[in-house]
Amino acid sequence: MEFTTSRLRIRSFAREDEEALHRLLSDPAVMRWMEPPYSPAQTRAFLLRAGLCQPPLVYAAESLSTNCIIGYVIYHPYIQPSDYEIGWALAPCHWGKGLATELTAALLDQARRQGARRAVLECVPQNTAVQRIAARFGFTFQGIEEGLEQYSLPL
C-alpha cells in the first residue's frame, strides 16, 4: 500500500528506515501513551514484526517536503477481516499541525476503497488527542479492552 495526502507519503517501511524509526520510538514524548521508549534492539524487532511483515501492520509516514520519516501509521485488519485498525504516531515537532486529522481522513478513505466495513481506533484513557480525533470523525466509544479505549466507525 502506498498513497499520499497533501503533505505526506504513506509507504511500506524498508530496512534502511530503522534509524529514523528509532528516533521516533525512543522519544519519551512519542511513547508517552504507548510503551516505555524503545532501545535500538526493540526498534529493530518492531520493524521486523510490524513493518516488514506481510502484510504490514504499520507504514512509514514520510514528509513530501523533506522526504524524511516523521512518523508511522497503523493500518491493518482488526479481528474481523472487514474491520481495519487505524492510528498514527508522529514526531513531536509535527504535533498541532493537523497531520493526525489529515492521516485519519486518508486512512478512512483507504479503508473504504478496500471495502472495509468498520474502522477502529484504540488509545489509553488519558490520550485526549486521539479521543478528540475520534469525536471529530464520528467514532463511537465501544468500551475498554485490555486497558485501551476502543472506538469504532461504520464505513
Side-chain angles (χ1 to χ4, degrees), residues 19-100:
E19 186 178 323
L21 182 61
H22 182 65
R23 281 192 298 279
L24 187 73
L25 296 177
S26 65
D27 187 321
V30 172
M31 301 302 282
R32 178 179 183 192
W33 304 121
M34 296 186 279
E35 300 177 50
Y38 279 19
S39 68
Q42 288 171 306
T43 298
R44 187 173 306 109
F46 176 80
L47 180 61
L48 292 171
R49 179 181 75 250
L52 297 177
C53 59
Q54 289 303 319
L57 304 175
V58 298
Y59 296 82
E62 185 178 85
S63 167
L64 289 174
S65 63
T66 65
N67 294 323
C68 293
I69 292 176
I70 64 159
Y72 69 86
V73 299
I74 300 163
Y75 184 79
H76 60 84
Y78 181 85
I79 301 176
Q80 300 296 321
S82 61
D83 296 347
Y84 270 75
E85 181 178 10
I86 66 168
W88 59 91
L90 297 168
C93 62
H94 298 283
W95 294 355
K97 298 178 180 179
L99 289 172

